[in-house]
Amino acid sequence: MSIFNALTTAVTGLNAQSSAFTTLSNNIANSQTTGYKAQTTSFQDFVTGASSSGNASSDTVAAVTSSHNDNQGTISSSTNTLALAISGEGFFDVSQPASASTANSVTFSNQDYYTRNGDFTLNNDGYLVNTSGYYLNGYMVDGTTGQLSNYLSQIQIADIGFRPTETTTLTLTGTIGSSTSSSATPASYTSPIYDSQGTAHEADVTWTQDSSNPLSWTVSVSDPTNASAISANSYTVTFGSDGTVASIADSSGSSIGSTFSGSSAKIPITATYNGVPQTINLNLGTIGGTSGVTLSTASSTSSQTPQLASDSVTSGTYEDITMVTDGSIMANFSNGDSQLVAKIALSNFANPDALEAVSGQAYVATNDSGSPKTGMVGANGTGTLKTSSTEGSTTDLTSDLSNLIVTQQAYSANTKIVTTANSMLQTTIDMIR
């Protein structure tokens, strides 16, 4: 190897060690950056030519920086209740606002980004934004239908209204007729009922007295606005001489529930809305009880006006949101209820180390990383979420500081080659003077 080749090799050594120094300094600078993934530098030699004897005529060295995006950082508790950390594989799907966005209208870039920085907060527009300015994506719940969307969008918690809860029980109280007369006309009582999506419907409970037995009544439930919504039903309710419910039987004569005093007096009704079946119990009180449905008797002519009520909660004021480990974002209301408003999405890659890093601890997909596989938390091999937590940097300060010393010494050694080669060249030049 000639002196000039030695100089070339030394210069490449200086460049390689400079690259290693840059990587180490970047790791150390980001040792406290949420979700940062440390990089490492390795070296490889290049043979630029060969002599006739087969020996290398010139060697050089190059630095290769390796990403380790799949390394797990330490998860720590956070006082931020909206902060999330991924335990295991996967990345949050995030977006960035387009340059054309204004204070009153946010539009987003079509570029998809991925990050492990889950330190999110709600901004003034109700979007979940992390400390690097990326907006969290997921599957939103339609505020009207209650359906979860199947496409990704930016999660926005704004104008959250309460959806009435699904009706599970209709309760009828009061005096529906008399045990001393068998000429009562059918009586109907109406109440709104709500399906699983919070949509209002109508339930009509009709009572018909047996013409030959004033203590026997037939009861049925229907939806006058949708005849096929509630399955055909007909039950016989028999009252005791004291006007309280004594027994309930279905259309075949089989008993429904117990006939022991104090037992629950309920009739099961099946309704189907939007293809989703739901069971609604018609609560008549208790066997032998006076707090539910009754008849007036000869010894007791007092009566209470019948009232039919649904157990659905129909109103509530939005208060805040709660993050759940399965990726659900729940809206909390003043009535104590919580309702799903969005589900967080996670993406996984065949080769996450090949993702291209961009500013703000985010990445974009490349040909080498493969296309993202996106879905719910836990799908596609993704990990779980830790709430009120953040994932720390994977920088190993002890190792990097040690490597910094080695890099500095290697850089100095390469400078010695340069100065030595310079001295040798100077000696050669002095020979001809």
Side-chain angles (χ1 to χ4, degrees):
M1 178 184 291
S2 70
I3 296 175
F4 288 106
N5 286 341
L7 276 171
T8 301
T9 300
V11 170
T12 62
L14 290 172
N15 289 333
Q17 296 303 326
S18 294
S19 295
F21 179 78
T22 299
T23 299
L24 288 169
S25 61
N26 194 40
N27 289 345
I28 294 169
N30 284 282
S31 62
Q32 302 302 311
T33 301
T34 301
Y36 175 77
K37 300 301 178 183
Q39 297 178 317
T40 57
T41 301
S42 56
F43 303 93
Q44 58 186 14
D45 69 324
F46 290 95
V47 177
T48 58
S51 65
S52 59
S53 62
N55 296 321
S57 61
S58 177
D59 286 338
T60 59
V61 64
V64 179
T65 300
S66 301
S67 299
H68 303 283
N69 301 330
D70 57 351
N71 283 2
Q72 177 72 54
T74 301
I75 295 177
S76 304
S77 297
S78 171
T79 56
N80 177 15
T81 58
L82 302 184
L84 296 168
I86 301 173
S87 177
E89 296 184 13
F91 296 83
F92 295 109
D93 283 77
V94 290
S95 299
Q96 274 198 322
S99 57
S101 298
T102 65
N104 298 321
S105 176
V106 183
T107 57
F108 294 91
S109 166
N110 292 327
Q111 177 66 59
D112 296 319
Y113 297 93
Y114 309 92
T115 186
R116 296 276 292 199
N117 179 5
D119 196 0
F120 296 104
T121 55
L122 279 173
N123 70 5
N124 292 337
D125 295 317
Y127 290 101
L128 285 164
V129 185
N130 71 12
T131 53
S132 298
Y134 287 92
Y135 288 61
L136 180 63
N137 296 335
Y139 306 96
M140 293 293 296
V141 170
D142 187 286
T144 301
T145 66
Q147 294 274 35
L148 189 67
S149 69
N150 57 7
Y151 62 89
L152 283 180
S153 62
Q154 293 74 35
I155 295 176
Q156 186 179 26
I157 313 300
D159 300 324
I160 300 297
F162 184 79
R163 297 187 305 277
T165 60
E166 178 180 341
T167 299
T168 60
T169 302
L170 288 171
T171 300
L172 182 62
T173 59
T175 306
I176 62 169
S178 172
S179 64
T180 60
S181 172
S182 59
S183 59
T185 58
S188 293
Y189 309 101
T190 302
S191 171
I193 57 174
Y194 295 87
D195 61 26
S196 59
Q197 298 178 4
T199 304
H201 305 278
E202 189 173 311
D204 194 356
V205 180
T206 302
W207 291 79
T208 305
Q209 190 176 36
D210 191 310
S211 59
S212 61
N213 181 4
L215 295 178
S216 179
W217 292 68
T218 299
V219 61
S220 63
V221 180
S222 63
D223 183 342
T225 65
N226 187 346
S228 63
I230 296 180
S231 302
N233 58 89
S234 179
Y235 296 88
T236 299
V237 178
T238 302
F239 292 86
S241 58
D242 61 353
T244 63
V245 176
S247 65
I248 304 173
D250 61 20
S251 58
S252 68
S254 299
S255 294
I256 301 297
S258 173
T259 58
F260 288 106
S261 179
S263 299
S264 176
K266 291 183 179 180
I267 294 174
I269 306 297
T270 300
T272 302
Y273 293 104
N274 303 306
V276 179
Q278 65 185 94
T279 298
I280 301 173
N281 288 309
L282 177 60
N283 180 17
L284 306 179
T286 57
I287 302 297
T290 59
S291 60
V293 175
T294 60
L295 296 179
S296 62
T297 65
S299 60
S300 176
T301 58
S302 62
S303 64
Q304 294 179 330
T305 302
Q307 299 287 335
L308 181 64
S310 165
D311 67 342
S312 297
V313 181
T314 59
S315 63
T317 302
Y318 168 74
E319 292 185 337
D320 54 23
I321 59 172
T322 299
M323 301 296 205
V324 186
T325 55
D326 68 351
S328 299
I329 300 178
M330 307 298 295
N332 303 314
F333 296 89
S334 57
N335 55 26
D337 280 349
S338 297
Q339 294 183 344
L340 180 69
V341 292
K343 294 276 281 188
I344 295 168
L346 293 182
S347 290
N348 210 355
F349 295 86
N351 182 14
D353 288 346
L355 290 169
E356 180 184 344
V358 295
S359 297
Q361 306 99 269
Y363 305 90
V364 295
T366 65
N367 289 334
D368 290 336
S369 71
S371 299
K373 295 180 179 179
T374 304
M376 301 293 183
V377 174
N380 304 313
T382 55
T384 58
L385 294 181
K386 301 292 185 181
T387 58
S388 300
S389 302
T390 56
E391 181 184 5
S393 168
T394 58
T395 296
D396 183 342
L397 273 177
T398 301
S399 176
D400 282 351
L401 288 172
S402 298
N403 289 333
L404 195 63
I405 296 172
V406 173
T407 299
Q408 188 270 333
Q409 293 295 331
Y411 188 92
S412 296
N414 279 282
T415 63
K416 294 297 182 182
I417 295 174
V418 174
T419 56
T420 301
N422 177 64
S423 178
M424 293 173 66
L425 285 172
Q426 188 61 49
T427 300
T428 302
I429 293 170
D430 288 345
M431 289 173 59
I432 61 174
R433 289 182 178 176

